[in-house]
Amino acid sequence: MALTFGRRAKQAKTSGDARGFTYFALAIFVFVCIFPFYWMFVVASNDSSVISAYPPHVMPGPNLMTTINSVFKVVPFHKALLNSLLISTIVAASQVFFSTLAGYAFSKLRFAGKRLMFGFILFTMMIPGQLGIVPLYLLMSKLHWVDSLQAVIVPGLVSAFGVFWMRQTITGEIPDELIQAARMDGAGVWRIYRSIVMPIIKPTALVLGLFSFLASWNDFIWPLLVLNSPEHFTVQVAIKQLRAAYFIDYAAQMGGSFLATIPLLILFVLVARRLVSGVMEGAVKG
Amino acid sequence: MRRNKGIVPTSERAFGYGFVSPFFLIFLTFGLFPILYSIYIAFFNWDPLGLHTFVGMQNFQNLLQDDRFWIALRNTLSLWVLSTLPQLFMALGLASLLNRRGLKFAGFWRAAVLVPNVTSVVAVAVIFGSLFGRDFGIVNWLLHFFGIHAIDWTGSPLSSHLQIAAMVAWRWTGYNALIYLAAMQAIPKDRYESAEVDGANAWQQFRYVTVPGIRNTLIFTVTVSTIYGLQIFAEPLILGGVSYSGGDSRQYSTLSLFLFEQAFSEFRFGYAAAVGVVSLFIIAGFSFLNSAITRRLAQGEE
């Protein structure tokens, strides 16, 4: 492969070095990762007759706009995109805010019961959330929140994992001496959070925000249950609805998937570097 | 660690409680309370319209005699095995490719394998439904070159589970590979050097240096994949059709789907809660078993 030409000739090849095979295998992996997206575009841009071609037709067609129109006939998809964006943004911002606050308190402030409370948070991280779905629904109907966006937003405002991660980050990256020095200079607790803690942990907090955003965007079981009218649907629920309406017509379903995926792919291109380092850092610290 | 038992200013204490209280208020109300209440409901015949009768262990006894529960349990376990084990092995392989010395465009490769993780899960299910179509799907078209003809992927339990496993693997292999890569990079280089001096080949180095070196990370990913895998919902629901029963022969019905079906299409809240409680024990049991097995397997021979 051409990719291996620039290799430094001085170093002897050992078993751990990248070689032609490495690039070949990686290229296959990446092809498999990308192909379903391409396929989605192919199906969404062709009409149904082309999709039922054998051997399968693998070139994009001219029909993307027609497909997207048929999507909008069933569900107001722009609303679903806006709802998902709104919910995920609020959830991400709130999780970052409350997680850094609590993480700071658990790492640097002194108060009775701190260890016990943090141990409790660690314990709850192991409990699967789906277990409480029936009573949560009962609670929402008591509050008259069924079929409203706050029913999805409010339970997502905090995250045990977020608190745990931010506490580890603050403990690891901010020495106690720095906090003490700021105290000597007369800075209050809140001031220290804003002007010292946040600027230092900003990169990790941002990655937490990205993860929260994605998790909230992909949340399915709960929004499916609690949101009933099409103008309140999130993207995931809207695609489900589309599938029910166009069960035979893959083009329309793919049109919805296409609309749901494009914003995330754009987001990904913008933040890929941070996301990769976030996944890798989380691994070492966790 | 600071250990001075000096006087803590009242304001610091107040801020401490103030800063952790939003988390606890929201979590206790919308997280923990529903879970505890769910355990309570599981002992009742709980009709959503208001009739609640205490029935003791009746829901659990009925559950053990309900074929649908056993099918859901079988499907959940089969999906978990099929989607977790091969995926983690592939992730290990991918990570060791990404960990090669002198790899060019490392940033590009790392980002590219993470792309599948950043997509709408329901959209992915729709795409995979099409890729695995019986008559016009690309997977069957590829298989026909190997003499395998027109598999109806949705038809049998095993094929439908393989389809879901492929989807889960597609989404998570790159993600787990990056986690393994990070752990591999933290292994001291001299361990490889001394293994090489001892004449260890690539496989032996991988087996006796890399795998024991990332043991904790392996345990972590197996645990997380288990908790995720045993709760799988979106993928089987979308591929299994439009109802919550999980396909004609319930081949897509998982414990989560069964819970959902009992609660919100048959309105048996108590029974559904019992499904949740049993799932909790199963997940806890498997997480425990898992970490025990992984710990043993990843132990390096001295």
Side-chain angles (χ1 to χ4, degrees):
Chain A
M1 291 201 80
L3 292 173
T4 57
F5 275 155
R7 121 181 328 285
R8 291 147 295 166
K10 273 182 241 165
Q11 232 168 304
K13 267 191 198 181
T14 58
S15 50
D17 277 340
R19 57 185 78 200
F21 168 77
T22 312
Y23 294 101
F24 177 69
L26 283 175
I28 290 178
F29 258 109
V30 170
F31 176 78
V32 172
C33 288
I34 307 292
F35 183 79
F37 294 108
Y38 176 73
W39 177 248
M40 170 180 81
F41 184 68
V42 168
V43 176
S45 62
N46 280 301
D47 69 46
S48 290
S49 71
V50 177
I51 294 150
S52 18
Y54 195 85
H57 196 87
V58 288
M59 296 310 284
N63 262 25
L64 188 62
M65 285 329 286
T66 324
T67 308
I68 286 173
N69 282 337
S70 65
V71 169
F72 278 91
K73 260 181 233 154
V74 178
V75 274
F77 214 87
H78 58 293
K79 280 224 167 123
L81 281 166
L82 277 177
N83 288 340
S84 279
L85 190 67
L86 183 75
I87 292 171
S88 305
T89 307
I90 294 176
V91 163
S94 154
Q95 282 194 14
V96 168
F97 179 60
F98 290 133
S99 300
T100 50
L101 268 190
Y104 168 43
F106 279 125
S107 175
K108 301 295 179 195
L109 301 180
R110 288 161 293 176
F111 53 98
K114 183 168 106 166
R115 276 163 172 271
L116 194 72
M117 288 188 214
F118 190 67
F120 174 75
I121 289 181
L122 286 185
F123 170 71
T124 59
M125 276 167 58
M126 299 296 288
I127 301 177
Q130 283 176 14
L131 181 59
I133 197 165
V134 173
L136 189 59
Y137 186 83
L138 293 173
L139 180 63
M140 290 300 167
S141 55
K142 275 261 172 4
L143 294 169
H144 301 288
W145 284 7
V146 173
D147 199 22
S148 73
L149 294 190
Q150 71 255 36
V152 179
I153 294 172
V154 175
L157 290 177
V158 297
S159 128
F161 168 72
V163 174
F164 167 72
W165 195 16
M166 290 305 109
R167 189 253 187 200
Q168 301 303 88
T169 305
I170 291 168
T171 306
E173 290 184 14
I174 302 174
D176 288 342
E177 293 74 38
L178 192 61
I179 305 278
Q180 266 152 11
R183 255 186 219 143
M184 296 294 185
D185 291 344
V189 173
W190 177 251
R191 178 86 198 281
I192 293 175
Y193 166 77
R194 255 193 37 212
S195 329
I196 295 177
V197 175
M198 278 318 278
I200 293 178
I201 63 162
K202 203 167 133 196
T204 316
L206 208 74
V207 176
L208 171 67
L210 284 171
F211 281 144
S212 312
F213 185 93
L214 291 173
S216 164
W217 182 277
N218 276 324
D219 195 12
F220 180 51
I221 184 167
W222 178 241
L224 175 68
L225 177 59
V226 86
L227 303 174
N228 308 123
S229 45
E231 72 264 25
H232 293 145
F233 282 173
T234 63
V235 165
Q236 313 300 333
V237 184
I239 303 176
K240 160 86 169 62
Q241 196 69 8
L242 214 54
R243 187 163 172 79
Y246 286 109
F247 198 63
I248 313 296
D249 182 0
Y250 261 120
Q253 296 179 33
M254 289 291 194
S257 299
F258 178 76
L259 291 174
T261 303
I262 291 304
L264 287 186
L265 288 183
I266 293 172
L267 178 73
F268 182 80
V269 170
L270 296 176
V271 300
R273 285 179 78 104
R274 276 187 192 283
L275 212 56
V276 168
S277 64
V279 171
M280 292 180 62
E281 258 173 50
V284 176
K285 281 179 192 148
Chain B
M1 267 255 155
R2 183 184 29 183
R3 274 276 162 275
N4 57 338
K5 292 262 171 193
I7 300 151
V8 179
T10 322
S11 74
E12 189 177 332
R13 245 182 298 150
F15 270 111
Y17 292 121
F19 283 5
V20 300
S21 60
F23 171 82
F24 279 105
L25 274 177
I26 297 172
F27 178 74
L28 292 178
T29 314
F30 297 100
L32 190 68
F33 165 71
I35 289 171
L36 294 178
Y37 203 64
S38 191
I39 297 173
Y40 173 74
I41 285 183
F43 295 96
F44 283 81
N45 218 336
W46 195 285
D47 181 74
L49 295 177
L51 207 63
H52 312 150
T53 339
F54 180 78
V55 293
M57 298 298 287
Q58 193 63 51
N59 284 328
F60 295 96
Q61 281 162 8
N62 292 348
L63 204 57
L64 295 182
Q65 281 154 16
D66 190 337
D67 288 341
R68 298 172 304 175
F69 168 73
W70 292 107
I71 291 174
L73 181 62
R74 177 203 70 186
N75 291 344
T76 306
L77 296 182
S78 144
L79 279 174
W80 167 68
V81 170
L82 290 173
S83 63
T84 307
L85 290 182
Q87 183 226 132
L88 292 179
F89 279 110
M90 278 196 295
L92 261 179
L94 179 55
S96 67
L97 288 174
L98 291 169
N99 196 31
R100 291 290 166 97
R101 274 188 297 265
L103 182 72
K104 298 207 181 345
F105 312 113
F108 166 77
W109 299 117
R110 288 175 193 179
V113 300
L114 195 59
V115 175
N117 196 247
V118 189
T119 41
S120 304
V121 59
V122 181
V124 173
V126 170
I127 296 170
F128 272 70
S130 154
L131 288 172
F132 281 85
R134 188 190 61 187
D135 299 320
F136 311 110
I138 228 156
V139 173
N140 275 352
W141 179 69
L142 288 176
L143 286 176
H144 101 271
F145 291 113
F146 300 95
I148 302 167
H149 289 285
I151 298 175
D152 179 9
W153 289 96
T154 59
S156 82
L158 181 64
S159 60
S160 56
H161 296 177
L162 284 173
Q163 184 188 15
I164 290 176
M167 193 155 86
V168 174
W170 182 77
R171 275 194 77 203
W172 292 98
T173 300
Y175 180 90
N176 284 317
L178 290 183
I179 292 183
Y180 291 152
L181 175 64
M184 285 175 184
Q185 290 180 342
I187 298 174
K189 294 279 172 291
D190 55 344
R191 285 199 211 161
Y192 287 102
E193 280 155 19
S194 54
E196 215 154 306
V197 170
D198 291 346
N201 63 26
W203 167 251
Q204 287 165 332
Q205 287 185 30
F206 178 75
R207 174 68 187 82
Y208 297 108
V209 180
T210 309
V211 173
I214 63 170
R215 201 185 74 150
N216 288 334
T217 310
L218 283 172
I219 296 171
F220 169 78
T221 51
V222 171
T223 308
V224 171
S225 308
T226 301
I227 294 175
Y228 171 85
L230 293 177
Q231 293 192 79
I232 195 161
F233 178 80
E235 295 89 343
L237 173 60
I238 295 296
L239 290 173
V242 283
S243 79
Y244 298 113
S245 63
D248 300 331
S249 51
R250 305 186 71 85
Q251 69 273 34
Y252 288 102
S253 174
T254 60
L255 286 173
S256 297
L257 218 56
F258 185 51
L259 187 158
F260 204 93
E261 180 194 19
Q262 289 309 306
F264 302 109
S265 81
E266 300 194 6
F267 300 105
R268 301 166 70 190
F269 280 13
Y271 197 54
V275 176
V277 172
V278 172
S279 310
L280 177 69
F281 280 108
I282 292 170
I283 291 174
F286 270 89
S287 303
F288 180 76
L289 199 70
N290 253 310
S291 65
I293 293 173
T294 321
R295 213 167 292 237
R296 167 149 294 188
L297 285 182
Q299 216 106 54
E301 275 92 328
E302 300 298 311

